[in-house]
Amino acid sequence: MPSPPHALPNGTVICSATTRYVVEGVLGTGGFGITYITRASAIGTADAAGTHVALKEFFLAADCQRDSASADSTIVAVGAAKGRVSAAMDDFIAEAERLKSIRGLSPNIVCVHEIFRANATAYFAMDYLAGPSLRDYIGSHHHLSEAETLELMRPLCDAVGKLHSRRIMHLDIKPGNIIVTTGRDNRPLPVLIDFGQSKHIADNGTSTRTVAAAGLTEGYAPIEQYAGISSFSPQTDVYALAATMLHALSGTRPPKPTELTPGYISRALPADVTPQLRSTLTTALQFQASARQSDAIEFAAALPQASITGHSPKHSGRGILWILIALLSLCAIALSASLLLRRPARQIAAPILEDDVPEQATVTDKSPVVVTESPEETPPAIALPTMHTYDFNGYFADQTGQRWPVKISATTDNMGRWGKCTYTNISYGIVLDLQGSGHDDRFIFHSDDKGADLTITVSSDGEGVWSGEAISGSKKLEVVLYE
């Protein structure tokens, strides 16, 4: 990949107290750091070849720059930037310490070997994982079968479940953060990397992270992550795991959460996906976190558990019995089919409900389908929901409990999709027209007006009360609306 402007040049030497690392290239970049492939060797040894190691360097892109006198050093701006960098570096080291503390917990989590400070910044060394990302792996196969997807994702779900049992959330699970390498058995071994957004929430509810991690990847982040995660919410990772599986099965990146309806999931999944997996993913991708599996442990338990290895099993006595039963069943089916062929042909039309297909939906069969209806078999007309106008009354509230009464008038179309709305702040006499998105019992309204930036996200409790959050600039407010 092309080196970012501030990346260390190849050949740069970085030393800890025990190890010498020579930079050979850039593996990845992010807002908090740059990851290099390096050749590592113990200081004071004659091992010139060394071993390939991934080395992540703390470099807060918005506030750091290289010292012009030395390509090895990092300097920062004074004032507020200096404080931000110091706090962010503490988080960077805490990320590394978390990873080092769970070393050996799972072969599907990247292993950290060493953490050290040098050159006015911090580093940690990890296993170098040779292999494509799951994103590239899916791209090279176009999409994966259910068997292939489960083989790759089930161990990852188990690994994330172990993180959740220790109150750690990854918060950035996606195909690009999963490396598909080769295990000892020569089978694909998926490994979860990049814990830059991860959080550990202590038993008392406090976060070990001092800087709010605002990063997210659209398509894999649930709606609550857009407002920031401040409490232990493993359902966020459950959503990301399921979105990653949906991508693997469909070959298409999922849309944002307001557009990821059950109808989209049904259309995107191939027809041969089993009902159990289909149901598990639909639950995990629910808009409201409380409707999903509680954590990755519960999600993993809900996945189809059949062993999928790609190898032919040895035939035991019981296996032969099942084969005989299957053959007898096929004979019975064939006999039934021959009897049915003697009956007069009778074509039955099934009612078809059509929905708007999002651009991301994957259509796997474009062959024309012809349905012939007998006059007496014509299905009854199916009434579509009519347009509905909501006149909400409610309030915004800040953390001190102060409230501002508001009104919102909004309309859904005949498919339950939200459109524009009119927002009125009664206290200040402000009236805004907002763009809406969402479906049925959830919506987001957003104003693109630079002078009055406002995003409202709410969902219904089914009893006429809608609640959620409003974000205006840096201010976050509670929203309660009544139909």
Side-chain angles (χ1 to χ4, degrees), residues 373-437:
E373 297 183 355
S374 301
E376 68 276 13
E377 301 279 5
T378 302
I382 298 175
L384 293 172
T386 58
M387 295 180 68
H388 184 75
T389 299
Y390 291 81
D391 291 311
F392 295 106
N393 287 283
Y395 62 85
F396 289 0
D398 64 15
Q399 293 180 344
T400 68
Q402 183 177 357
R403 296 183 177 184
W404 293 267
V406 297
K407 289 185 176 181
I408 290 178
S409 178
T411 303
T412 59
D413 67 9
N414 63 359
M415 298 302 292
R417 292 169 299 201
W418 293 88
K420 293 181 179 180
C421 89
T422 301
Y423 157 81
T424 304
N425 187 311
I426 298 173
S427 300
Y428 296 100
I430 298 173
V431 179
L432 294 175
D433 290 327
L434 309 182
Q435 298 292 328
S437 61

Side-chain angles (χ1 to χ4, degrees), residues 261-459:
T261 64
Y264 173 88
I265 298 169
S266 178
R267 290 188 297 268
L269 289 173
D272 60 354
V273 170
T274 60
Q276 182 180 352
L277 182 55
R278 190 178 293 269
S279 174
T280 299
L281 294 181
T282 300
T283 299
L285 292 168
Q286 290 293 305
F287 189 82
Q288 292 180 310
S290 60
R292 304 175 206 140
Q293 292 88 354
S294 60
D295 55 27
I297 299 170
E298 184 179 335
F299 176 66
L303 294 172
Q305 295 301 311
S307 178
I308 301 170
T309 63
H311 299 291
S312 299
K314 295 180 180 180
H315 296 301
S316 63
R318 180 173 294 182
I320 293 173
L321 176 61
W322 281 112
I323 291 171
L324 290 174
I325 292 172
L327 289 173
L328 289 172
S329 299
L330 289 173
C331 291
I333 292 169
L335 178 60
S336 299
S338 66
L339 292 174
L340 287 172
L341 288 174
R342 298 176 184 176
R343 299 180 181 178
R346 187 163 174 258
Q347 294 173 310
I348 300 175
I352 299 174
L353 291 179
E354 293 186 356
D355 196 358
D356 289 342
V357 181
E359 291 180 1
Q360 297 90 341
T362 300
V363 180
T364 57
D365 185 0
K366 298 184 180 179
S367 303
V369 178
V370 179
V371 179
T372 304
E373 297 183 355
S374 301
E376 68 276 13
E377 301 279 5
T378 302
I382 298 175
L384 293 172
T386 58
M387 295 180 68
H388 184 75
T389 299
Y390 291 81
D391 291 311
F392 295 106
N393 287 283
Y395 62 85
F396 289 0
D398 64 15
Q399 293 180 344
T400 68
Q402 183 177 357
R403 296 183 177 184
W404 293 267
V406 297
K407 289 185 176 181
I408 290 178
S409 178
T411 303
T412 59
D413 67 9
N414 63 359
M415 298 302 292
R417 292 169 299 201
W418 293 88
K420 293 181 179 180
C421 89
T422 301
Y423 157 81
T424 304
N425 187 311
I426 298 173
S427 300
Y428 296 100
I430 298 173
V431 179
L432 294 175
D433 290 327
L434 309 182
Q435 298 292 328
S437 61
H439 193 273
D440 290 338
D441 62 348
R442 56 187 183 274
F443 66 72
I444 292 179
F445 289 128
H446 179 69
S447 168
D448 293 323
D449 184 349
K450 294 182 180 179
D453 184 49
L454 174 67
T455 299
I456 304 170
T457 306
V458 296
S459 57

Side-chain angles (χ1 to χ4, degrees), residues 144-342:
L144 306 183
S145 68
E146 179 172 336
E148 292 168 322
T149 300
L150 288 172
E151 183 179 17
L152 289 170
M153 292 301 298
R154 189 186 287 112
L156 281 174
C157 295
D158 291 336
V160 176
K162 291 176 181 178
L163 295 178
H164 289 171
S165 69
R166 288 161 174 76
R167 299 181 65 83
I168 297 172
M169 300 172 291
H170 186 277
L171 298 180
D172 198 18
I173 298 170
K174 58 185 178 181
N177 280 342
I178 298 167
I179 300 298
V180 183
T181 186
T182 303
R184 293 180 180 177
D185 57 356
N186 290 323
R187 304 292 300 167
L189 177 67
V191 181
L192 184 62
I193 64 170
D194 197 346
F195 280 64
Q197 299 295 330
S198 66
K199 278 188 178 182
H200 172 257
I201 305 296
D203 291 335
N204 62 5
T206 60
S207 172
T208 55
R209 192 179 187 94
T210 58
V211 176
L216 58 83
T217 304
E218 192 165 272
Y220 309 98
I223 193 66
E224 66 269 17
Q225 200 166 352
Y226 285 72
I229 301 297
S230 57
S231 60
F232 184 55
S233 307
Q235 296 94 335
T236 302
D237 283 343
V238 168
Y239 184 100
L241 286 166
T244 298
M245 294 181 73
L246 180 62
H247 184 169
L249 291 161
S250 67
T252 304
R253 176 176 173 163
K256 56 189 177 182
T258 52
E259 297 174 358
L260 190 66
T261 64
Y264 173 88
I265 298 169
S266 178
R267 290 188 297 268
L269 289 173
D272 60 354
V273 170
T274 60
Q276 182 180 352
L277 182 55
R278 190 178 293 269
S279 174
T280 299
L281 294 181
T282 300
T283 299
L285 292 168
Q286 290 293 305
F287 189 82
Q288 292 180 310
S290 60
R292 304 175 206 140
Q293 292 88 354
S294 60
D295 55 27
I297 299 170
E298 184 179 335
F299 176 66
L303 294 172
Q305 295 301 311
S307 178
I308 301 170
T309 63
H311 299 291
S312 299
K314 295 180 180 180
H315 296 301
S316 63
R318 180 173 294 182
I320 293 173
L321 176 61
W322 281 112
I323 291 171
L324 290 174
I325 292 172
L327 289 173
L328 289 172
S329 299
L330 289 173
C331 291
I333 292 169
L335 178 60
S336 299
S338 66
L339 292 174
L340 287 172
L341 288 174
R342 298 176 184 176

Side-chain angles (χ1 to χ4, degrees), residues 65-79:
Q65 62 182 4
R66 298 288 179 192
D67 185 347
S68 58
S70 170
D72 294 346
S73 298
T74 299
I75 64 172
V76 300
V78 296

